[in-house]
Every structure is written in structure tokens, then in C-alpha cells.
Amino acid sequence: MKEYNYTHFKPEDYAHDKFDAPEIGEEAPDFTAYTPEGKEVRLSDYFGTPLVLEMGSITCPVFVGVMPRMKKLIKDFPNTTFLVLYIREAHPGERRGAHQSNDEKQNRARECQAMYSDPREILVDNISGEAHRTYGLFPNSVYIIDSDGKIFWRAKWNHPKELRENLQLLSEGKEATKESVSEVPGALRPFVFLHGGKIALWDFVKGFPKLIWLKFIK
């Protein structure tokens, strides 16, 4: 098994040709996580209202890139609970490296929330990434979970426009659109690589040709 908390980003750390994750219509797998302050919670604690669960980390330029539109969605759908699952660092480096403990991961989640003034509640996955593994291992996937705790819609990459469309369908009691299969991230903020550090930026630049090959050519 590959090391979960990798110290250097490599394109092959992600299974680009598949999305091995809970499917639309299935019960959303429950998991234990922690608040940034260390309180133990479960995903099922939030069942009963529609949920949006998005994967993210402070070094993920995609997660940060879509955040302004996510903040708008939060205001537009006040009856939906928006959660972030804080996962491994997408692009670790010398400034912010791979997590070494649950406490460090919780501290990083607090830092992320403060840095971006993120109004969402953050659930911090454990150090081995059990919840992240269950939900597909991508750095910025997103799920809509209905009030009965079932997967209503999912996407490998969060595109807030698609997310908005499906939240509206859910609110109208209609079926979701077909799951997003976009291989292109919903946004990119290049400066975020430097939150990891120069090493994080170099790892991405170095791996970019292989990333393109794995995504679109292989």
C-alpha cells in the first residue's frame, strides 16, 4: 500500500482512471472524525438535513480556488449543512509538510479555517486517512448527502456550478444529474503551492508532464 501521508506530491499517488467511492443512491458511509479542537464526532451526527461534504487541505490549490463560490453557495442554501473533511496535505513541502500526528492535523485544520475565513465546520480525518480512503482519495471531491443519509450526487472534482444545480434539484425533490466525471479541477490558485513551500511547487512542476499523461493520454 502506498504511503498515505506522502512527503512529496507525485501524480501516481492518485488513481486517475477511476473514482472508487460511494455511489449515488447508496447509504453514505459513516465515519469518526474530530473537530479542530479535538472533539470526536461522526458524520451521522449531521444526518437529518441535506449535507455537502467537500475534501480539502490548506495546500490544495483547487480547494482554495473554489472557496469563494462555495461561500456564495453557503449563503444561498441556508437549510443545507456544509462540511469540510480535512484530509492529507495535497502539496506538502518545507513550510507545511505531511502530517505526523492527529494533533498536528487538527492544528493545520484550524490554521486553514482561519487563513481563509471559512465559515464551514471542519471534520478532521485521522492520521491514516480512513474517511478519505472511504470517500475516494481525491484531493477535492465533493458529495451531496440527502436528509436520509444517502448519496444524492458526487463529483471527483468540485465544480460549484454543478454542485449548485444539484442542490437546487434536491431542494425541488427532483433526481440528481448524472455524476460529474470531469477530469479537470474546478479552479486553481497557483500561490497555494507556496503554502507547502518551494519544494511543493517544484514537485508539482516536475510532475506536471506525467500528470497530463496519466489523466488524458494513458
Side-chain angles (χ1 to χ4, degrees):
M1 181 182 296
K2 294 180 180 178
E3 180 184 10
Y4 176 70
N5 294 296
Y6 53 74
T7 56
H8 292 270
F9 166 79
K10 298 183 294 298
E12 56 268 30
D13 285 318
Y14 294 90
H16 300 278
D17 58 342
K18 63 180 179 179
F19 188 31
D20 186 11
E23 297 186 359
I24 292 173
E26 292 183 352
E27 298 284 342
D30 201 5
F31 58 79
T32 298
Y34 302 88
T35 67
E37 293 71 38
K39 178 184 176 183
E40 185 174 299
V41 294
R42 296 189 65 82
L43 180 65
S44 56
D45 295 340
Y46 302 87
F47 290 174
T49 61
L51 303 177
V52 171
L53 180 66
E54 181 186 9
M55 314 295 131
S57 68
I58 199 171
T59 60
C60 180
V62 183
F63 171 67
V64 177
V66 300
M67 193 177 293
R69 284 175 288 164
M70 291 300 293
K71 290 180 179 180
K72 179 70 164 56
L73 275 179
I74 292 168
K75 292 181 180 179
D76 292 345
F77 290 87
N79 296 321
T80 298
T81 300
F82 288 79
L83 302 172
V84 171
L85 179 64
Y86 200 91
I87 56 173
R88 63 187 174 189
E89 295 302 335
H91 295 280
E94 75 281 4
R95 292 188 65 196
R96 294 178 179 87
H99 307 133
Q100 301 298 315
S101 68
N102 287 322
D103 285 345
E104 182 183 28
K105 195 168 187 176
Q106 290 159 22
N107 289 337
R108 199 72 58 79
R110 284 199 300 272
E111 184 183 12
C112 181
Q113 193 170 40
M115 178 180 289
Y116 299 118
S117 300
D118 192 343
R120 291 170 289 184
E121 188 166 348
I122 297 183
L123 310 183
V124 185
D125 198 5
N126 62 27
I127 192 67
S128 61
E130 289 180 23
H132 190 205
R133 294 175 194 274
T134 299
Y135 279 82
L137 277 177
F138 273 78
N140 189 230
S141 54
V142 66
Y143 294 82
I144 299 175
I145 301 171
D146 68 21
S147 56
D148 294 324
K150 292 184 178 180
I151 304 294
F152 180 77
W153 181 79
R154 68 177 196 170
K156 184 187 294 185
W157 294 103
N158 184 9
H159 288 255
K161 182 180 179 181
E162 292 180 324
L163 180 58
R164 175 183 292 277
E165 291 171 355
N166 282 282
L167 282 172
Q168 186 63 39
L169 289 171
L170 177 59
S171 71
E172 295 171 356
K174 299 177 180 178
E175 291 186 1
T177 61
K178 186 177 180 181
E179 69 176 274
S180 173
V181 292
S182 176
E183 295 295 334
V184 180
L188 190 70
R189 292 291 185 271
F191 73 86
V192 175
F193 290 112
L194 294 177
H195 290 336
K198 293 180 180 179
I199 289 174
L201 177 59
W202 173 241
D203 285 342
F204 179 78
V205 171
K206 184 171 57 175
F208 187 73
K210 189 168 187 178
L211 183 64
I212 295 299
W213 182 78
L214 287 170
K215 274 184 171 292
F216 303 110
I217 301 173
K218 182 179 177 182

